[in-house]
Amino acid sequence: MRKMLATSDQQNVARAFIDARAWKTPLTVYPGAMPQTMAEAYAIQDSAIALDGRRVGGWKVGRIAAELVTRYGGNRLTGPIFTDEIFDGGADPVMPVYADGFAAAEAEVLLCFGEVGTRDYDIDSVRECIADVRTGIEIASSPFPEINRHGPAVTASDYGNNKGLILGPSIADWQGADLIRMPVEMAIDGETVGTATMEAMLDGPCGSALFLIDILRARGIAIPPGTWVSAGAITGIHEIRPGQRAEALFDGKIRVGCSIKSY
């Protein structure tokens, strides 16, 4: 993918999303021409990141549906996670969402980059630049209720539909652990809404890390040590409302949870 500079219309879309997020105002329609390619989506996203001004502490990675891969030229998308929206799960955080927009919780494995450098990686060697692996929950939320109904480029254009990250406990001896087959369960208000392993996640969390390195390099974005990767929804995208509680269980013993409030 070649980096695109945002047009004035794309900058206006970026500004509209930033304003809607800041003022907690729902967007009943997409605020401009919908991006038709991932390059257009990332031009909007890059413009929004620059206008926003906050520090990016990580990136969420999401899957593009198989039937859309040819059209969009890849099987994953990404969006920024700002440092001030990354929380320690040990503090049992209360996470804000856009009550009149879209809101969901996703059980995810979180990778923390060490020194990435400029070297080339493959699916095996990318492990060498990963410093930590944790359990966690990504909060997906956008002021545009239809964020996921118009394809991955629209999703990516509004920060990839991200509104925060909860860092759960580290996975002990993750280098030798069979992460792909680790059972994961997601519950909302104590009721199980999804169970799965990472076997269905394309080439797994390391594939997400490899994708992220490649796409950020193409966009000219640095990856400093300590950058988090939310590697993709394991049990699905589970819609959630203010007042509810989400809890993920990894390997039958590692728990991470949060409560949801209106933003």
Side-chain angles (χ1 to χ4, degrees), residues 20-248:
R21 284 175 172 256
W23 294 99
K24 310 172 187 62
T25 304
L27 292 169
T28 56
V29 297
Y30 192 84
M34 291 185 179
Q36 300 301 307
T37 67
M38 296 311 296
E40 291 175 357
Y42 291 134
I44 295 170
Q45 189 185 109
D46 289 344
S47 180
I49 292 170
L51 289 167
D52 191 303
R54 287 179 294 165
R55 188 165 74 88
V56 174
W59 298 84
K60 65 84 57 76
V61 176
R63 183 173 184 172
I64 293 176
E67 65 271 19
L68 298 177
V69 167
T70 299
R71 175 180 172 183
Y72 289 97
N75 56 18
R76 287 181 166 99
L77 62 85
T78 189
I81 307 172
F82 294 99
T83 301
D84 64 351
E85 295 182 334
I86 299 176
F87 296 90
D88 180 1
D92 196 23
V94 179
M95 303 295 289
V97 300
Y98 299 99
D100 295 321
F102 178 88
E106 305 168 13
E108 309 215 2
V109 162
L110 315 178
L111 314 178
C112 185
F113 281 126
E115 186 64 50
V116 175
T118 59
R119 62 173 284 191
D120 292 330
Y121 294 97
D122 59 25
I123 194 64
D124 295 315
S125 63
V126 75
R127 285 175 168 261
E128 297 171 18
C129 67
I130 295 171
D132 190 15
V133 177
R134 292 197 185 192
T135 56
I137 294 175
E138 182 204 347
I139 299 301
S141 192
S142 168
F144 182 43
E146 297 185 358
I147 186 72
N148 286 343
R149 298 180 188 174
H150 300 278
V154 167
T155 300
S157 69
D158 183 29
Y159 293 158
N161 195 14
N162 178 265
K163 192 65 181 81
L165 190 66
I166 301 104
L167 304 177
S170 295
I171 298 174
D173 189 28
W174 63 266
Q175 295 93 335
D178 189 1
L179 294 178
I180 295 295
R181 293 179 176 82
M182 177 184 292
V184 180
E185 178 179 331
M186 187 70 171
I188 294 179
D189 287 345
E191 293 189 11
T192 299
V193 293
T195 59
T197 67
M198 286 169 264
E199 292 176 281
M201 286 179 58
L202 301 173
D203 44 7
C206 287
S208 293
L210 186 63
F211 159 81
L212 189 63
I213 290 171
D214 290 343
I215 196 71
L216 293 184
R217 284 175 173 174
R219 291 163 63 186
I221 298 174
I223 309 173
T227 298
W228 288 99
V229 186
S230 194
I234 301 168
T235 66
I237 300 169
H238 307 292
E239 293 194 31
I240 198 164
R241 301 185 307 275
Q244 292 188 307
R245 179 173 176 80
E247 187 170 76

